[in-house]
Amino acid sequence: MATSRTTERPALPTSSEPAAARHLNGLCKYVVEKRLQKSLEKTCVEVMKGAKVPRNPYPVFVQRARQQAERIRLSSWTIPEGFQSSTTFPTEPTALGHVAGSKGFSHVWGHPVVLRCVSPPAIERAAWLIEDVTPPLSILRCGQPYTIQVLPALTGPSIFSDTLFPAPHELAILQLYVIAGPDPERASALYADCVLGDVLRTVQQGRHYLLRVKVPSSSEGHFDLFNKEEVEARRSAFLSGVQRSLKTQLPVQADCVWRTDPQGAAFQGGVKLYSLCVLQTSETLRGEKVLDFSECPLIHLYSSVFLHQAHAEAYVRMFLPAKGHPGPTGKWRSPPCKA
């Protein structure tokens, strides 16, 4: 009868370069001290004991390891000052009560509560990327009486990097199209054209890599997938899908690999989220009516950071008037978020 034995762990890797060896030794020491290895082994056992083993269990391992590492990092703050230092960046008010700027920095604008929890230097590292992937107004042709404005922003957990979260796994960029005109249906068709044009522009430029585009098909999270070849070959289906996705109130998502600097020395995975807001203009309305196609009005103000004051204020003015100035009339397409 064969005797069972415990399989030994593989030997730690080594490097002939002194700097790399020191870094690797430090990393291995951290893993041992924080018991990340045992945590990962325990996760592995739990996953493999399940009734249905996933085809690729490694994403689960990585997710659990990240959660464990974050718990360790947070628990290392033995006094409140550690947490407070990451949530007290000073802000400066603007003419709009819901828009502020980060004190001492001219590239961070948004809701003051959000700005207190972001790191302006960390966001500045994404400034070139956001400017590079935002289409210039000169290529957004729509024809009178319609106008198009693009409001780009950094969004999601990536805005809190270097503060509440470690370096983000992916950079999420919001590209909000504000289209003004009399016919919402025509505005939605123009929006679909803009999304198609921007996706093709990303492919043709070659600075960034487009992996696929997810077009929501239901509010339950179902979507249609298009790779870069299918976007070009199935233009009609793509345009129709983007227009229909507006009913789901979910953004169209392009999965990309970003080049994060002009020299092309660094790359990072990320997404671009497309969304639409229509300002319906009509003489019978005696002003403008806001039709918001997001999950709820002002949602981007509480989850994003704008790099230009004018963009942050333009977004807020669609819903909240400045002091002493009347705001748009009419009803929201989506109900306001509940606190």
Side-chain angles (χ1 to χ4, degrees):
M1 179 182 295
T3 58
S4 62
R5 63 184 180 87
T6 302
T7 303
E8 295 182 357
R9 294 178 184 170
L12 295 177
T14 59
S15 174
S16 58
E17 298 182 8
R22 285 194 297 269
H23 175 75
L24 193 57
N25 288 338
L27 177 61
C28 293
K29 183 180 178 182
Y30 175 83
V31 169
V32 172
E33 289 180 350
K34 303 303 182 181
R35 301 176 62 83
L36 291 178
Q37 175 76 25
K38 287 190 175 295
S39 175
L40 192 58
E41 290 175 353
K42 182 179 178 182
T43 300
C44 180
V45 172
E46 291 175 355
V47 171
M48 293 306 179
K49 280 184 176 179
K52 185 177 180 181
V53 178
R55 294 182 62 182
N56 182 6
Y58 293 102
V60 179
F61 300 161
V62 173
Q63 181 185 19
R64 297 283 183 86
R66 282 181 180 154
Q67 293 172 349
Q68 175 73 355
E70 185 62 14
R71 283 195 295 268
I72 292 169
R73 192 178 73 87
L74 292 175
S75 64
S76 65
W77 290 344
T78 56
I79 53 177
E81 286 77 1
F83 178 80
Q84 292 173 0
S85 64
S86 293
T87 58
T88 55
F89 284 94
T91 60
E92 295 179 325
T94 65
L96 272 67
H98 288 72
V99 176
S102 190
K103 196 169 186 178
F105 298 91
S106 60
H107 64 278
V108 184
W109 303 89
H111 196 277
V113 173
V114 174
L115 294 190
R116 295 191 188 104
C117 304
V118 306
S119 171
I123 291 176
E124 190 172 22
R125 292 195 289 268
W128 174 85
L129 171 61
I130 294 176
E131 293 292 338
D132 189 65
V133 301
T134 301
L137 293 178
S138 59
I139 67 173
L140 299 177
R141 301 181 181 91
C142 57
Q144 295 294 335
Y146 294 88
T147 61
I148 300 177
Q149 184 179 14
V150 184
L151 309 182
L154 192 66
T155 192
S158 55
I159 67 176
F160 301 110
S161 60
D162 288 0
T163 56
L164 299 178
F165 293 97
H169 178 59
E170 64 178 19
L171 285 173
I173 297 174
L174 169 69
Q175 200 163 282
L176 175 65
Y177 287 84
V178 180
I179 301 180
D183 184 6
E185 290 297 324
R186 174 57 181 162
S188 67
L190 289 172
Y191 165 70
D193 288 336
C194 289
V195 173
L196 172 63
D198 190 65
V199 169
L200 296 179
R201 173 174 169 264
T202 301
V203 175
Q204 293 163 1
Q205 280 184 332
R207 286 195 291 273
H208 313 282
Y209 298 95
L210 176 73
L211 303 179
R212 60 183 181 177
V213 182
K214 296 179 180 179
V215 180
S217 57
S218 73
S219 56
E220 287 75 30
H222 301 105
F223 51 81
D224 298 322
L225 281 177
F226 295 83
N227 59 34
K228 60 182 181 181
E229 291 80 13
E230 290 174 330
V231 171
E232 176 70 33
R234 302 170 55 202
R235 288 194 177 203
S236 179
F238 182 82
L239 291 170
S240 299
V242 171
Q243 281 191 267
R244 289 194 302 270
S245 71
L246 294 173
K247 298 179 181 180
T248 71
Q249 299 181 338
L250 299 174
V252 174
Q253 175 177 315
D255 294 341
C256 302
V257 176
W258 303 123
R259 191 175 89 181
T260 56
D261 61 88
Q263 292 74 31
F267 292 85
Q268 184 170 0
V271 298
K272 181 186 280 189
L273 304 174
Y274 297 92
S275 188
L276 171 67
C277 194
V278 176
L279 295 180
Q280 185 181 7
T281 57
S282 172
E283 294 182 0
T284 58
L285 293 175
R286 297 180 181 178
E288 298 175 338
K289 182 179 180 180
V290 180
L291 303 177
D292 180 45
F293 291 90
S294 302
E295 293 177 277
C296 57
L298 289 175
I299 188 172
H300 301 308
L301 183 65
Y302 296 91
S303 59
S304 309
V305 169
F306 296 86
L307 274 68
H308 296 280
Q309 180 179 0
H311 292 164
E313 292 185 344
Y315 177 62
V316 173
R317 281 198 179 101
M318 288 189 291
F319 306 100
L320 300 174
K323 295 179 180 179
H325 296 82
T329 60
K331 296 182 179 180
W332 285 324
R333 176 69 168 263
S334 308
C337 292
K338 296 181 179 179

